[in-house]
Amino acid sequence: MSEIPHFLVKNFKTEIGSHKFTADDIIRYGEKYAPFDFHTNSDYENLTANGLHIASVWMSLQRTFIENSTEMLKKNGRTYPIFGPSPGIEYMNWPAPVRAGDVVTYENHIQEMRKSGSRAGWWVMTNRVSAHKQSSELVMEFQSSVLLTLKSPA
């Protein structure tokens, strides 16, 4: 498995970034996707971010992390991943609320990297994602899998 980039190896854990949730961001997302008072009303005492808003921030940070890591591998003439579809999410939960002003930090932890049993040349990576706010309190976690292939430098 030496051709696998370091950030895709089983047990690799890394912080991929942080995001500050503002009242304006929470309300804007809530008005568009989750029109409930606790997501849209700035006068509401417990204005909270929608869970999918928290997850979508992870997706944006994840995309940037993958793009930057892949670009660095290409520049250094190393094998790099090409990501395909995801067979799905095994579980997802939000054990604590995210409120305006909270800074959430996202982390990936590779649980498994194995060759696909049905697609030659493809791998299945299982990743556990966790997100903690500034108090270290867990606010989101999920586990998902993704298919990927590895491309050798030209």
Side-chain angles (χ1 to χ4, degrees):
M1 280 203 206
S2 61
E3 79 249 11
I4 296 175
H6 74 283
F7 64 92
L8 299 176
V9 175
K10 182 178 179 177
N11 293 324
F12 182 79
K13 190 183 238 186
T14 190
E15 185 178 299
I16 64 165
S18 297
H19 178 80
K20 182 175 184 174
F21 286 81
T22 67
D24 288 344
D25 290 340
I26 291 170
I27 292 167
R28 192 171 25 259
Y29 189 95
E31 286 173 342
K32 191 167 183 178
Y33 301 109
F36 301 100
D37 274 355
F38 51 91
H39 297 315
T40 62
N41 186 342
S42 62
D43 294 330
Y44 193 78
E45 184 178 315
N46 291 311
L47 181 68
T48 59
N50 177 275
L52 295 178
H53 183 187
I54 300 164
S56 70
V57 169
W58 168 81
M59 180 59 86
S60 295
L61 292 170
Q62 174 72 0
R63 175 120 179 128
T64 300
F65 174 79
I66 292 297
E67 287 173 350
N68 292 342
S69 299
T70 299
E71 191 58 35
M72 187 183 326
L73 290 168
K74 286 179 179 180
K75 283 181 181 177
N76 291 317
R78 308 273 312 273
T79 299
Y80 60 93
I82 298 174
F83 287 85
S86 171
I89 292 174
E90 290 184 34
Y91 68 86
M92 179 177 255
N93 70 43
W94 298 273
V98 171
R99 293 191 165 79
D102 282 341
V103 176
V104 176
T105 300
Y106 296 82
E107 184 176 85
N108 289 339
H109 185 185
I110 307 303
Q111 302 295 299
E112 180 181 47
M113 181 71 164
R114 64 177 172 78
K115 289 186 177 182
S116 171
S118 60
R119 289 187 166 191
W122 285 81
W123 295 77
V124 179
M125 180 186 76
T126 302
N127 185 35
R128 181 182 177 274
V129 173
S130 60
H132 297 82
K133 57 184 170 181
Q134 65 278 359
S135 64
S136 298
E137 186 175 15
L138 181 68
V139 296
M140 182 187 76
E141 66 178 342
F142 68 88
Q143 183 166 301
S144 67
S145 297
V146 66
L147 295 168
L148 62 100
T149 189
L150 299 171
K151 183 167 176 140
S152 296

